[in-house]
Amino acid sequence: MADITIQKRPHNEAVVTHRKFFKKTARGKVIKIIRERYLRDDIYCGIVGCRLCADGTTAVLPTSGDMTHRDFPYGHYILPDTNIFLTQMDLFESNEFMFPIILLQTVMEEVRHRSLPLYNRLKALVKSEDKQVWVFYNEFRRETTVIREEDETPNDRNDRSIREGAKWYNTHLHLVRSPIRGQKPPQVVLLTEDAGNREKALSANIPCMSARKYIERTQKPAPLLDLLAAAVSEEIEPTKATGARAVLYAEHLPTTALLAGVNAGQLHQGHFNANSYNYLEGTVLVPTFTKPVLLVGRENMNRAVHGDVVAVEVFPKSEWKSPGDEVVDAESMLKNDDVESGDENDENDTNDTLLQARESRAVRESAQAPTEKQPTGRVVGIVKRNWRAYVCHIDASSLTSTSTSSLSLQTIFASPISRLLPRIRIRTRQAPSLVGQKILVTPDRWDRTSRYPDGHFVRALGKVESKEAEQESLLLEFDVPYRPFGKAILDCLPVEGDAWVVPPKNDGDPVWKDREDLRDLVVCSIDPPGCQDIDDALHARRLQNGNIEAGVHIADVSHFVYPDTPMDAEAASRGTTVYLADKRVDMLPSLLGTNLCSLRAGIERLAFSVIWELTEDANIVNVRFTKSVISSKAAFEYSEAQMRLDDSTLTDPLTVSIRLLNSLAKKLKAKRMAAGALDLASPEVRINLASPESSDPLVAPSSLPGASTLSGSKDERKGETIGVMQKALLATNSLVEEFMLLANISVAMRINETFPQTAVLRRHVAPPKTNFDNLQDMLMKRKGLTLDVSDSGALAASLDKCVDPQTPAFNTLVRIMATRCMTSAEYFCAGSVSRDTFRHYGLATPIYTHFTSPIRRYADVLAHRQLAATIAHTPLHPSLHSKAHVERIMDVLNRRHRMAQMAGRASVEFYVGLALRERGEGLAKAGNIGGVVEEAFVIRTFRNGLGVFVFELGLEGLVMFKQDVQFDAENYTVTLPSPTAGGEVTVALFDKVKVRIGVEKDKNTQRGRVKMTLVSPVDSSGL
Amino acid sequence: MTGLSKVEISYIRSSLLSDPPLRADGRAPEDFRPIAVETGVAPLANGSARVSIGQPRAGRGHEAEGAGGGTEVVAAVKLEVDGVGDDEEGGKVICSVSCSPAAYPHLSSPALDDLQSDLTSLLGSVLSHPSLCPQNLVIVPGQKAWALRLDTIVFADAGNVVDCLMLACRAALVDTRVPSTRSVEYRAPGRQSGTLNEVPDDLMDVDQSRNGPSSMLETRDPSSAVDFELADYWDEGKVLESRDSWPVCVTLNMLPTIHFLDATSQEETAVPLRLHTMFSFPGGKPTSHGMRMAGAGTSDMTQIGLLLKHAEKYARNMWIGLEAKLAEEEARRSVKAREKFYGGRRR
């Protein structure tokens, strides 16, 4: 009979077996929690081939440890303390760092307690296949468990526990491999940044060192040393007299005090938003005030970085200010700033005072501005830092000139791509090789004595403007998951692969279960050119009773993506497919997206159909939903469909169907407009790349009607042609759009009826009227136009009236600006908000969801599942019955959606810049020195500049004047000295001007930026 | 309280009055049955104790157990965060006694309820008195305080349940640890225009007002702290401040001319008149916390005075004994357990 040992300890050994602690709940109650601990002897050391731990078959640590370290010739393993993981996670994640790691349970738990994101990274590290990490459950092994002494702090107890673990390992290794012929066993090295802990460890004969010391003695220290977080350098570097350093910022209050202040209503908590025009200004939107709280000047922003959650104190009303009206550019202001500033350099003092004078002027002037005041305050503490790795360029000017080629350690500035972030100071040995590269940098801390945060180098992405580096940096910057799909996910695909076909019709076949055979319907799809993931198709036909049957057929993605599978989880976390100008980052593996789910012409595909019976006036008589099998008869591009529509000689069933759809769509649109839907505009520019990815190289995109091209010049070096054009809108675009809207609305109503608690819906909250204050004032003063924002219908009507007969584009401009005043639409769970807030403001419909693009949006997949459950096709997965679960997914989707849009826009911007430069070069070659000149509208006026919008390029830019000009903030005008026209020219908001656009590369950072100067009415290059 | 016949009653009474007094279990009148105290019996409570009178000490095996067993009571203290009203000091002690029906098989359910509420009010009148309320039950002055819930259960009653209850209550209260908290507040620091001074240290007020008894005399603004946090989430916390003043109870059973202690159930039935006296000895000084006469009968005033003197003496003995036992219990549960564990490991 097997031996049974009872591991449960008797009650009277509570001190050994229980771990007690208190926890304060969110409601302010204190609860006592007891964890029982079972001690055992069979927790293995994880070393391959260990005699004593024979059963440890999953052991990962090499038998003799790592032999490459110079201090440990007999081999070693490292056993890091908690503080190492808390500060040096990037080091462990680096591909250069390949030492075998022993991870104690105590350390794991402490990391989890201190920082959840770091804990998740640690878990990923443990799981990653290329690292040798062994988790040793020291608290459960009889020999290594530690009982808290009287009056011992948890920290001390954990330190002792970690030392105990290290000690056990070293003894264990001695036992396993008793020294033979001078061959010593490998050692286990405790890594810790805590000097006190090191001391105690050394006195207990445990090999021990700091991370920096350890790395310095490895064989290739240089790349790893850069990864060390800044926090460590302080300890190792000869300490510079900290007392002598000027304190630049007020102390942050501890989190607990902040929370108490927030609870008491004395402080306000919100996200810090940096101002992209003025680096000395930021805002925090807090619930108490309708307007955001303004923070003016460095001291009041107190080291907050864009995205941080901060607590602000609001000044008394008499000290409230209004936002500045000047462009303050960190780069030009701080050009001479020294990297070491804040350190002991004396010569900086003059520099500092100069800077302070300039800054205070900038701050003071903004305070005098006459426009309306808003709450003003200062940051008293950071509730949560939202720091991550940022894509940066190295500022070459911060390299010490003597060492541009040497590999010595130096401090340099890294300028983040995002203009909202401050420069980050890093220390690196590879500075010269990083110049001209895009690199990832993580900030570590920001001291009171330092003007800039300190950070460390993570890795290089590649050369600036190389396609790969730009792409990756965009994806990183917007947190788009872009790793290839893993094996577990690909295993969820049908085993047939691309040979999968709809099985022949057979009632017994599970695929055909409850599925209608719609293969005979004349269905077609209409999409943008080059579309590979066709997720919708349409049909329409006249019924015998005179009504019209119209159908929208959506790819049946939920047939392939089952809930609770790795593929489903991945799709949920990706949320959406991200379209960059030159790359598509898929939400689902491409076998599904571009093949099995894509409703290609002539191939039988599974679909989820919405079929209406409509009257001649496009009123819905009846709607039904069914899973189906369709066979698309044609896959049109918008222009092809348009040609069929326009060609009255064609009478084939397809064309008739499209005409029928078109006539209905027009009526649907008219109804929607009457209900108050907004016709909004956003600058849409298409990039055409003759890259291998798009199938049809568009050298000269003039074949598309209505598209205005900027450039077709050929770049021989890259073999790519970049063209920028505005998206053309055809009747067929509108046709597809109307039916998709109709399908989404019908589905939304249906699923909300069945699942009032968990239906996945989408809404657009009406913007607060104050959002339009500025725009209304601008229109009134400059154009004498009024904007009625009382509801969407009134807004739509008054937007229609915003026309300037001379400049037809003016209306579009106003629409773009009005769009910017609005909130963005969001996904939500029907049960989590009150019913009267379901409305979609922009579309003017009481309820809405996303159903029509399940290949590229996860929300649609959820809507599909819910709809399938409503029609009793498949039962709903239990997770979709849980409100909390759906809410969680919605939060992720909203964030991903926003990020995807921003990434897409940024990618277009990059190519516009590239195209501009090419065209500028082309012109220069042709002898035209003037450069690219385009028409632009003035959209903002500053004391020292103009914000302009270039329609042709969908590009926003800034015209800066070096000298001050007359500025009338009240009337939005700037008066410029002019050599010709009577000495002065006044430029006002909404004026059409001509600007010269050039791409200027910052000599130091290699960061390309669009530079604009005024050409007409006056040349501003001298100003 | 068990039903006894007149003959039995008279037999018990006459034996007690004989010289020397005779009791069924051979004890002298002022002898207690063996008392067993164990603390920390309820791990999830903030303090707990089990006390039994007359039962053999744990570990000696069951064969020595007498036919009737003994009186057994478990007391547990639970601290709950509670709001503080406007005119309150903050902190309160709430007692409750529940009696297991198994302990009183002969009582009907309403009678059991009566007994419970009677014992609850007896305990409450002594222990919930404001003068006993420990200062360190206040978490944030004027805002939040611990409500101390002292729940006791009578598992078995073989006489002298009140003494047993009070012993258990004192043991549990002494065992109680109050989680250490830190109150947090935000006070707007004076903004010196232009200069960046160190933020004054008192910005975060960390319980300065509660380090001494001076808090009653504080004249500055009552602290504006609004919330608190747990100082050390692992620590069990500090002992209750008025640890020395939780009383013990000695019940004198009075039979004219003599009195005896620790009556068994039969003796209680035979001699209904008794006097519960509660004493504590903070710093060795006897303090009376209450007295209650129960049962039918009258008593001479002069005799009461004399009895009180005796009671004080008995209570002092019991106090000293309990103190020693509690200290031993504490050691058993921490230091010794650790030593034993590490010792076992070394072997």
Side-chain angles (χ1 to χ4, degrees):
Chain A
M1 211 168 83
D3 249 350
I4 297 174
T5 41
I6 295 171
Q7 305 283 0
K8 180 158 171 81
R9 315 284 292 194
H11 158 75
N12 55 19
E13 280 181 40
V15 106
V16 184
T17 55
H18 287 174
R19 266 185 52 202
K20 302 177 201 176
F21 53 93
F22 290 98
K23 201 172 138 189
K24 190 175 170 225
T25 64
R27 288 183 156 186
K29 299 277 174 224
V30 172
I31 49 177
K32 189 172 178 181
I33 293 171
I34 294 193
R35 297 254 178 277
E36 246 182 304
R37 185 160 57 173
Y38 293 69
L39 298 178
R40 41 201 298 172
D41 300 313
D42 52 352
I43 308 270
Y44 302 127
C45 67
I47 297 168
V48 173
C50 174
R51 272 196 295 127
L52 296 177
C53 310
D55 294 347
T57 43
T58 52
V60 295
L61 300 174
T63 312
S64 47
D66 180 85
M67 309 290 274
T68 60
H69 197 273
R70 284 184 277 169
D71 281 355
F72 305 103
Y74 301 110
H76 77 293
Y77 309 92
I78 58 169
L79 191 152
D81 191 359
T82 315
N83 49 37
I84 300 272
F85 283 114
L86 291 177
T87 51
Q88 311 289 11
M89 195 57 87
D90 286 328
L91 176 73
F92 291 103
E93 284 170 346
S94 159
N95 288 331
E96 306 277 339
F97 192 92
M98 279 312 189
F99 302 101
I101 301 165
I102 296 164
L103 179 58
L104 294 187
Q105 175 195 13
T106 315
V107 174
M108 282 262 268
E109 280 168 12
E110 238 184 332
V111 170
R112 184 172 64 175
H113 182 65
R114 298 283 288 277
S115 158
L116 213 51
L118 281 178
Y119 175 70
N120 288 332
R121 284 167 70 182
L122 185 60
K123 275 206 309 199
L125 193 74
V126 172
K127 275 192 211 146
S128 75
E129 280 159 18
D130 50 344
K131 303 270 177 193
Q132 301 162 331
V133 186
W134 176 256
V135 182
F136 183 68
Y137 287 88
N138 61 318
E139 303 277 0
F140 296 145
R141 176 144 188 147
R142 193 185 307 277
E143 287 100 331
T144 49
T145 195
V146 155
I147 302 164
R148 190 182 180 189
E149 300 285 345
E150 207 80 16
D151 297 326
E152 194 177 33
T153 65
N155 214 353
D156 287 346
R157 192 214 88 102
N158 286 340
D159 283 353
R160 192 157 61 88
S161 166
I162 292 163
R163 287 197 304 274
E164 199 72 27
K167 200 168 108 191
W168 178 84
Y169 255 102
N170 279 316
T171 328
H172 185 73
L173 284 169
H174 261 278
L175 285 176
V176 175
R177 253 162 290 160
S178 37
I180 323 153
R181 285 169 310 212
Q183 185 74 23
K184 286 189 191 157
Q187 284 180 300
V188 171
V189 188
L190 174 64
L191 289 192
T192 177
E193 307 291 11
D194 178 353
N197 199 10
R198 275 207 299 274
E199 217 166 87
K200 282 183 187 153
L202 288 175
S203 66
N205 267 330
I206 303 165
C208 177
M209 41 177 63
S210 72
R212 180 164 291 271
K213 270 230 180 84
Y214 177 81
I215 296 299
E216 275 168 357
R217 298 285 295 158
T218 54
Q219 285 186 336
K220 269 195 300 173
L224 291 175
L225 277 175
D226 280 358
L227 289 166
L228 287 179
V232 204
S233 58
E234 195 73 351
E235 193 194 355
I236 309 300
E237 302 295 314
T239 35
K240 290 162 181 159
T242 32
R245 284 198 203 172
V247 171
L248 293 166
Y249 298 103
E251 187 96 71
H252 284 153
L253 298 184
T255 322
T256 47
L258 296 178
L259 292 180
V262 170
N263 285 343
Q266 288 164 303
L267 295 179
H268 307 278
Q269 182 180 328
H271 283 275
F272 177 78
N273 293 307
N275 183 332
S276 55
Y277 288 116
N278 182 345
Y279 78 103
L280 291 173
E281 212 177 87
T283 52
V284 178
L285 194 61
V286 299
T288 327
F289 301 99
T290 47
K291 286 198 166 188
V293 176
L294 185 69
L295 308 166
V296 184
R298 275 177 199 287
E299 286 158 25
N300 290 335
M301 300 204 296
N302 200 354
R303 293 171 279 161
V305 172
H306 185 76
D308 289 348
V309 181
V310 298
V312 292
E313 176 196 52
V314 174
F315 296 153
K317 223 166 185 170
S318 58
E319 292 175 46
W320 286 13
K321 292 172 182 165
S322 55
D325 46 21
E326 191 174 25
V327 180
V328 187
D329 184 18
E331 242 153 79
S332 54
M333 280 279 248
L334 306 175
K335 210 157 241 165
N336 308 321
D337 218 6
D338 195 89
V339 210
E340 300 282 336
S341 80
D343 293 349
E344 85 278 51
N345 269 1
D346 275 348
E347 53 187 351
N348 274 324
D349 282 0
T350 45
N351 202 344
D352 272 4
T353 24
L354 202 79
L355 187 66
Q356 260 163 24
R358 280 160 88 187
E359 283 187 358
S360 65
R361 198 197 60 152
V363 169
R364 201 173 48 248
E365 278 181 1
S366 64
Q368 287 162 353
T371 37
E372 211 185 321
K373 305 209 164 183
Q374 67 188 68
T376 307
R378 64 186 196 104
V379 171
V380 291
I382 309 284
V383 178
K384 188 171 168 244
R385 287 280 190 204
N386 276 332
W387 287 352
R388 55 186 172 88
Y390 299 107
V391 181
C392 298
H393 300 270
I394 292 287
D395 187 345
S397 71
S398 64
L399 258 70
T400 21
S401 49
T402 50
S403 59
T404 32
S405 56
S406 82
L407 279 174
S408 63
L409 188 65
Q410 51 182 319
T411 309
I412 51 172
F413 274 137
S415 315
I417 297 185
S418 164
R419 307 180 57 78
L420 301 168
L421 301 166
R423 290 195 273 185
I424 303 167
R425 194 164 37 197
I426 61 171
R427 293 171 71 82
T428 174
R429 282 172 201 277
Q430 22 183 347
S433 65
L434 293 181
V435 172
Q437 297 240 37
K438 289 209 152 187
I439 60 168
L440 266 185
V441 170
T442 310
D444 299 314
R445 58 177 182 156
W446 194 343
D447 289 337
R448 299 175 61 198
T449 51
S450 165
R451 183 161 290 152
Y452 300 100
D454 290 308
H456 65 271
F457 165 78
V458 180
R459 71 189 165 99
L461 299 175
K463 232 176 140 29
V464 168
E465 285 186 356
S466 74
K467 200 175 134 190
E468 293 72 29
E470 294 294 342
Q471 235 173 42
E472 195 177 0
S473 81
L474 266 178
L475 295 173
L476 282 167
E477 197 65 4
F478 296 102
D479 199 15
V480 176
Y482 62 95
R483 287 177 182 282
F485 292 99
K487 185 174 176 304
I489 296 161
L490 297 177
D491 282 348
C492 301
L493 295 171
V495 281
E496 297 90 342
D498 54 7
W500 184 92
V501 284
V502 178
K505 187 169 180 181
N506 171 6
D507 285 338
D509 196 293
V511 175
W512 279 90
K513 179 184 159 276
D514 296 334
R515 218 173 255 283
E516 251 178 80
D517 183 0
L518 301 179
R519 286 177 293 184
D520 299 334
L521 279 182
V522 185
V523 172
C524 68
S525 64
I526 308 176
D527 284 287
C531 179
Q532 288 170 316
D533 44 0
I534 306 171
D535 41 21
D536 50 74
L538 302 135
H539 88 275
R541 62 177 178 191
R542 180 87 49 192
L543 294 173
Q544 308 223 310
N545 62 5
N547 285 341
I548 305 163
E549 179 193 89
V552 165
H553 312 276
I554 307 296
D556 191 6
V557 172
S558 58
H559 179 81
F560 296 98
V561 184
Y562 294 107
D564 238 0
T565 57
M567 182 152 70
D568 182 56
E570 180 68 17
S573 86
R574 293 195 177 208
T576 169
T577 294
V578 181
Y579 294 89
L580 301 185
D582 50 354
K583 188 181 169 74
R584 192 184 65 222
V585 185
D586 285 328
M587 179 183 87
L588 291 170
S590 66
L591 175 66
L592 286 187
T594 59
N595 191 350
L596 301 189
C597 287
S598 187
L599 305 176
R600 296 171 171 185
I603 303 176
E604 287 180 9
R605 287 287 179 236
L606 301 181
F608 207 149
S609 305
V610 183
I611 298 166
W612 299 274
E613 187 183 337
L614 298 163
T615 62
E616 196 64 46
D617 302 325
N619 290 321
I620 300 173
V621 179
N622 189 12
V623 57
R624 68 191 178 92
F625 309 94
T626 177
K627 293 244 180 174
S628 60
V629 179
I630 59 159
S631 167
S632 173
K633 302 293 172 279
F636 294 120
E637 291 180 6
Y638 284 127
S639 51
E640 287 176 77
Q642 187 67 37
M643 275 175 338
R644 280 184 175 250
L645 206 58
D646 296 341
D647 188 348
S648 51
T649 57
L650 291 172
T651 52
D652 59 294
L654 260 178
T655 314
V656 172
S657 170
I658 294 176
R659 286 211 186 103
L660 210 48
L661 285 168
N662 193 43
S663 72
L664 285 171
K666 275 188 189 147
K667 286 164 195 158
L668 285 170
K669 181 163 188 181
K671 276 191 209 172
R672 217 159 48 78
M673 287 303 165
L678 290 171
D679 192 3
L680 298 171
S682 56
E684 285 206 68
V685 173
R686 251 184 84 79
I687 304 290
N688 280 298
L689 287 177
S691 66
E693 203 166 326
S694 62
S695 48
D696 47 344
L698 262 167
V699 178
S702 51
S703 60
L704 274 110
S708 60
T709 58
L710 168 85
S711 153
S713 68
K714 205 164 198 166
D715 186 328
E716 310 292 335
R717 187 166 42 85
K718 286 182 187 159
E720 277 179 6
T721 300
I722 300 160
V724 178
M725 59 180 173
Q726 295 238 294
K727 276 188 186 166
L729 280 176
L730 303 172
T732 41
N733 289 45
S734 166
L735 182 163
V736 175
E737 191 188 333
E738 287 308 323
F739 275 98
M740 293 308 132
L741 290 176
L742 193 64
N744 286 336
I745 294 167
S746 297
V747 170
M749 293 203 285
R750 184 63 187 267
I751 58 175
N752 183 48
E753 218 169 79
T754 320
F755 303 109
Q757 281 302 304
T758 57
V760 171
L761 300 177
R762 188 170 171 83
R763 65 171 177 172
H764 185 198
V765 179
K769 299 201 173 30
T770 49
N771 279 13
F772 292 101
D773 285 356
N774 275 334
L775 182 61
Q776 278 174 316
D777 191 53
M778 289 172 176
L779 283 171
M780 191 66 220
K781 284 190 176 135
R782 294 311 318 163
K783 295 281 182 182
L785 295 168
T786 48
L787 206 56
D788 184 355
V789 297
S790 49
D791 62 47
S792 62
L795 180 61
S798 56
L799 276 176
D800 287 341
K801 290 195 197 101
C802 286
V803 284
D804 186 339
Q806 271 105 56
T807 44
F810 174 69
N811 184 264
T812 318
L813 180 71
V814 175
R815 283 181 198 276
I816 291 174
M817 290 171 84
T819 311
R820 300 242 169 117
C821 296
M822 292 177 198
T823 50
S824 48
E826 58 175 6
Y827 295 110
F828 68 103
C829 169
S832 29
V833 302
S834 81
R835 267 200 95 87
D836 49 356
T837 60
F838 280 17
R839 215 180 146 67
H840 196 292
Y841 177 81
L843 298 174
T845 133
I847 190 164
Y848 193 66
T849 190
H850 269 166
F851 172 77
T852 51
S853 299
I855 296 178
R856 58 187 177 89
R857 290 186 309 227
Y858 189 70
D860 304 51
V861 178
L862 295 182
H864 272 238
R865 286 189 192 144
Q866 288 181 335
L867 188 67
T870 10
I871 59 167
H873 182 273
T874 17
L876 196 59
H877 189 263
S879 66
L880 279 180
H881 280 302
S882 145
K883 200 167 102 182
H885 178 81
V886 175
E887 273 173 18
R888 226 169 15 245
I889 298 181
M890 296 299 111
D891 282 348
V892 174
L893 292 188
N894 282 325
R895 183 169 161 273
R896 291 287 186 213
H897 200 78
R898 207 168 49 239
M899 288 301 198
Q901 276 179 337
M902 277 156 49
R905 242 177 263 147
S907 152
V908 167
E909 245 165 58
F910 167 71
Y911 276 102
V912 168
L914 223 53
L916 272 173
R917 210 184 53 196
E918 274 179 19
R919 190 169 144 193
E921 279 165 7
L923 286 172
K925 246 182 248 164
N928 185 344
I929 316 151
V932 181
V933 174
E934 286 284 351
E935 279 191 345
F937 282 98
V938 178
I939 52 165
R940 246 182 117 164
T941 49
F942 296 101
R943 183 170 297 278
N944 59 346
L946 293 172
V948 295
F949 182 75
V950 183
F951 247 96
E952 295 299 302
L953 306 175
L955 188 70
E956 225 177 295
L958 206 55
V959 177
M960 295 263 282
F961 312 123
K962 282 183 207 81
Q963 65 200 64
D964 273 4
V965 293
Q966 278 182 53
F967 169 56
D968 185 349
E970 201 62 29
N971 290 311
Y972 306 104
T973 62
V974 169
T975 307
L976 303 166
S978 159
T980 51
E984 279 189 344
V985 173
T986 302
V987 181
L989 195 76
F990 298 130
D991 278 6
K992 204 180 206 178
V993 294
K994 279 209 160 107
V995 289
R996 177 180 299 122
I997 311 166
V999 178
E1000 194 181 61
K1001 230 189 208 176
D1002 190 301
K1003 273 197 287 296
N1004 294 324
T1005 62
Q1006 296 291 304
R1007 175 157 76 178
R1009 49 191 300 208
V1010 173
K1011 190 180 156 80
M1012 294 193 184
T1013 46
L1014 219 50
V1015 176
S1016 106
V1018 66
D1019 196 317
S1020 75
S1021 51
L1023 291 172
Chain B
M1 274 179 243
T2 37
L4 289 181
S5 66
K6 273 189 177 169
V7 182
E8 285 170 309
I9 290 173
S10 133
Y11 176 74
I12 292 173
R13 291 174 79 119
S14 57
S15 322
L16 280 167
L17 288 171
S18 67
D19 189 31
L22 294 172
R23 296 174 77 172
D25 46 13
R27 285 182 289 151
E30 61 273 19
D31 277 354
F32 263 80
R33 286 167 286 179
I35 303 175
V37 177
E38 188 187 357
T39 57
V41 292
L44 277 172
N46 297 74
S48 59
R50 185 210 320 271
V51 173
S52 55
I53 299 185
Q55 233 176 6
R57 276 167 205 278
R60 260 197 227 160
H62 296 280
E63 67 280 0
E65 206 172 329
T71 302
E72 188 182 356
V73 167
V74 169
V77 169
K78 190 94 181 125
L79 294 172
E80 282 169 12
V81 181
D82 195 20
V84 174
D86 281 340
D87 299 323
E88 286 176 313
E89 273 287 314
K92 55 187 161 201
V93 177
I94 305 146
C95 302
S96 88
V97 179
S98 38
C99 298
S100 157
Y104 300 95
H106 54 287
L107 286 187
S108 66
S109 157
L112 198 63
D113 285 348
D114 284 349
L115 179 66
Q116 283 178 172
S117 67
D118 190 31
L119 291 172
T120 301
S121 76
L122 175 62
L123 236 55
S125 67
V126 176
L127 298 176
S128 300
H129 192 266
S131 67
L132 279 181
C133 186
Q135 288 292 324
N136 62 346
L137 285 185
V138 178
I139 303 172
V140 181
Q143 298 273 353
K144 289 205 165 81
W146 296 108
L148 189 155
R149 293 196 180 273
L150 175 58
D151 296 316
T152 50
I153 303 178
V154 178
F155 280 117
D157 182 357
N160 202 16
V161 73
V162 178
D163 288 12
C164 193
L165 273 173
M166 287 303 283
L167 269 176
C169 288
R170 175 163 163 80
L173 286 163
V174 168
D175 185 47
T176 298
R177 298 287 182 277
V178 183
S180 31
T181 55
R182 194 160 44 207
S183 53
V184 200
E185 68 156 338
Y186 171 75
R187 195 181 302 147
R191 278 188 300 117
Q192 293 92 339
S193 53
T195 54
L196 289 155
N197 284 1
E198 288 274 340
V199 178
D201 276 341
D202 66 345
L203 191 65
M204 199 182 65
D205 189 1
V206 184
D207 275 20
Q208 281 151 339
S209 61
R210 289 206 281 120
N211 286 344
S214 65
S215 67
M216 305 287 285
L217 302 166
E218 276 287 353
T219 46
R220 66 166 191 175
D221 282 351
S223 164
S224 50
V226 288
D227 204 357
F228 69 97
E229 58 168 358
L230 291 171
D232 172 359
Y233 66 104
W234 266 24
D235 201 7
E236 287 250 49
K238 298 201 173 55
V239 296
L240 284 172
E241 249 163 34
S242 52
R243 204 180 189 194
D244 280 355
S245 15
W246 305 111
V248 292
C249 174
V250 170
T251 302
L252 304 173
N253 301 278
M254 297 188 288
L255 190 64
T257 74
I258 71 144
H259 66 267
F260 61 97
L261 304 179
D262 192 22
T264 60
S265 305
Q266 281 102 338
E267 287 167 339
E268 274 179 355
T269 318
V271 184
L273 187 64
R274 50 190 175 273
L275 183 67
H276 306 294
T277 58
M278 285 74 166
F279 283 99
S280 70
F281 301 88
K285 199 165 62 79
T287 315
S288 170
H289 285 269
M291 242 190 312
R292 183 184 278 201
M293 199 124 96
T298 54
S299 183
D300 194 335
M301 270 309 288
T302 50
Q303 204 199 349
I304 293 281
L306 203 68
L307 283 176
L308 273 182
K309 283 230 166 59
H310 284 295
E312 187 213 314
K313 188 182 76 201
Y314 302 138
R316 192 185 286 274
N317 285 338
M318 187 193 269
W319 178 274
I320 292 166
L322 182 64
E323 283 304 87
K325 179 64 191 169
L326 288 177
E328 189 190 306
E329 276 291 295
E330 215 156 286
R332 171 184 71 80
R333 285 168 52 210
S334 54
V335 182
K336 282 194 182 152
R338 269 199 298 272
E339 276 170 6
K340 195 171 146 212
F341 174 73
Y342 285 126
R345 193 150 87 183
R346 238 166 267 133
R347 242 186 6 252

